[in-house]
Amino acid sequence: MYETDLRLDIHYYCLPAEQFKERMTDMKNEKAMAYVNMYGVLGSLENLCELDSKAKEILKELKKPVSLCFDVKNGPCRTFRFDENGCKITEGSSGAACKMNFASPEKFNLLIDKSKPGVPVKGAVTLLKFLTGPFTKLTARLEEVLRPSKDALSDPAFFEENTLMTMYVIAGAVSALANNDPIAQISAENTPDGDIYFAIKDKAAITLSVKNHRFTTVKAPCENPRAIMEFADIKLANGLFNGEVSTVNEMCKGNIRLAGVLSMVDNINRILDRVAVYLA
C-alpha cells in the first residue's frame, strides 16, 4: 500500500493546503505512531523528571526503584527506570523487574490515547500498583506541561519548561519517524551520515545522529556537527514549535542559525513536517 501511495505523493504537493494536510494525516502509520509515542512522548519522561518540580515530588512517593519495560510486538521495546532521583531509559528489556507486552503497535498506542494497558508478564503486582499510582501521575503532569492552558504559559518559568519539553518530544519523534514512517524515510534516505546540532541558544542542545540513513536522538550537544539548526531564544522556539511564526521570515532576520551541510537541515525540516502531523 505504501509503495503505491509514495509513487503518487509528488502529485499531492500541488494540492491546496487543506487537502494536502488531510492527505498527509490519512497516511499516518500505526507502527510509526508507536515509535513516536515510545521515543517522543514517553521518551520525554526523563526530561520531565529532571526539569519539573511537580514530577520530582511524585518521584518521592516511590518507596524503591521501579524498572518497567514496554515491549511492543513488531514495534519498540524500552525499559524505563524510575527512582527518587529521576528517570533513565534504556533499549530492550534487560534488567527490567516489571514487563508489559502489547500485541501490536495499535495496542500500545491505546496506552497513550486511552490509558489502556497491555498484558503484564513480569512483576504484575508491582507493575499495576506503579501504573495506577506514580506513572499515571507523571503522565498526567506530562500532558499538563505539553498541552497547557494560556494562563499557565503566562508564567515565564513554565513557558520555558513547556518549550524545552516540546523540543525533547519533537527531537525523539524526528528519529522515530525517520526510521519508521514511509514518507519521512524518503528524507532519511537522502540525508548523509553525520551529526546535526539542534538547539535553542544558551538553553538546550540535542544531537540528531545519522548513520546509514538511520537516525538516533541524543539529548546532549555534539562536538563536531556536520550541520547546525539553532534558534535564537525560547520565545522564538516556542512560536516555531506551535506554528505561530514563519520559519522563512525568522531565517531572513537571522534568528535561526543554519550552518554546515544545509541539505541535512533541509531533510530535517521535511521530517519535522511529518512530526507535526503525528503530534497534532
Side-chain angles (χ1 to χ4, degrees):
M1 179 179 72
Y2 292 112
E3 291 181 0
T4 301
D5 289 340
L6 293 175
R7 285 198 296 270
L8 296 174
D9 267 349
I10 189 170
H11 301 295
Y12 289 98
Y13 285 92
C14 301
L15 291 173
E18 286 303 313
Q19 290 184 39
F20 178 76
K21 183 177 180 181
E22 289 176 6
R23 174 60 178 168
M24 292 298 98
T25 301
D26 288 344
M27 293 186 69
K28 284 169 64 173
N29 170 314
E30 286 286 347
K31 181 176 179 179
M33 188 76 246
Y35 277 90
V36 168
N37 282 329
M38 185 75 86
Y39 286 84
V41 180
L42 292 184
S44 71
L45 283 173
E46 58 186 354
N47 307 106
L48 181 77
C49 293
E50 178 183 1
L51 296 173
D52 187 70
S53 59
K54 292 185 178 181
K56 291 178 182 179
E57 288 299 316
I58 294 169
L59 290 176
K60 290 180 181 179
E61 298 177 13
L62 294 175
K63 295 181 180 180
K64 60 180 181 180
V66 176
S67 54
L68 164 61
C69 173
F70 292 127
D71 189 351
V72 184
K73 186 177 181 180
N74 298 321
C77 177
R78 302 186 95 190
T79 296
F80 296 74
R81 305 173 193 277
F82 297 90
D83 60 30
E84 61 181 8
N85 297 313
C87 170
K88 299 296 180 184
I89 305 173
T90 56
E91 299 300 314
S93 61
S94 178
C98 306
K99 188 178 181 184
M100 180 170 282
N101 286 355
F102 295 84
S104 66
E106 291 87 346
K107 295 291 186 181
F108 177 68
N109 292 333
L110 289 176
L111 174 69
I112 307 302
D113 296 337
K114 297 185 179 181
S115 300
K116 187 174 180 179
V119 179
V121 294
K122 187 177 182 181
V125 175
T126 301
L127 174 58
L128 293 176
K129 185 176 180 181
F130 177 67
L131 281 180
T132 57
F135 186 80
T136 295
K137 292 179 182 179
L138 284 171
T139 54
R141 178 56 183 165
L142 180 62
E143 184 173 3
E144 289 177 359
V145 172
L146 293 175
R147 299 184 182 276
S149 66
K150 289 185 178 180
D151 289 342
L153 289 172
S154 64
D155 175 9
F158 183 83
F159 182 87
E160 179 171 316
E161 181 182 341
N162 164 265
T163 306
L164 293 176
M165 286 297 301
T166 301
M167 180 180 183
Y168 288 123
V169 172
I170 288 172
V174 165
S175 291
L177 293 179
N179 298 335
N180 296 283
D181 174 66
I183 297 175
Q185 284 177 318
I186 297 173
S187 297
E189 285 295 323
N190 287 285
T191 305
D193 286 359
D195 291 338
I196 302 157
Y197 181 85
F198 183 64
I200 303 173
K201 187 176 181 180
D202 299 327
K203 291 296 180 180
I206 291 168
T207 301
L208 298 171
S209 184
V210 185
K211 186 175 182 179
N212 296 326
H213 311 296
R214 295 284 299 179
F215 279 57
T216 303
T217 297
V218 181
K219 296 175 183 177
C222 51
E223 292 185 1
N224 298 299
R226 289 197 71 190
I228 295 171
M229 178 186 290
E230 183 181 59
F231 309 128
D233 54 42
I234 286 287
K235 184 177 180 181
L236 171 64
N238 190 281
L240 289 168
F241 296 158
N242 289 291
E244 296 171 353
V245 298
S246 167
T247 302
V248 174
N249 287 345
E250 297 302 328
M251 287 171 57
C252 293
K253 293 176 184 178
N255 292 330
I256 302 176
R257 178 189 173 206
L258 302 177
V261 181
L262 296 185
S263 65
M264 297 179 79
V265 176
D266 184 50
N267 283 312
I268 291 297
N269 274 325
R270 295 176 190 277
I271 296 171
L272 286 170
D273 288 341
R274 293 298 289 156
V275 171
V277 170
Y278 277 81
L279 293 178

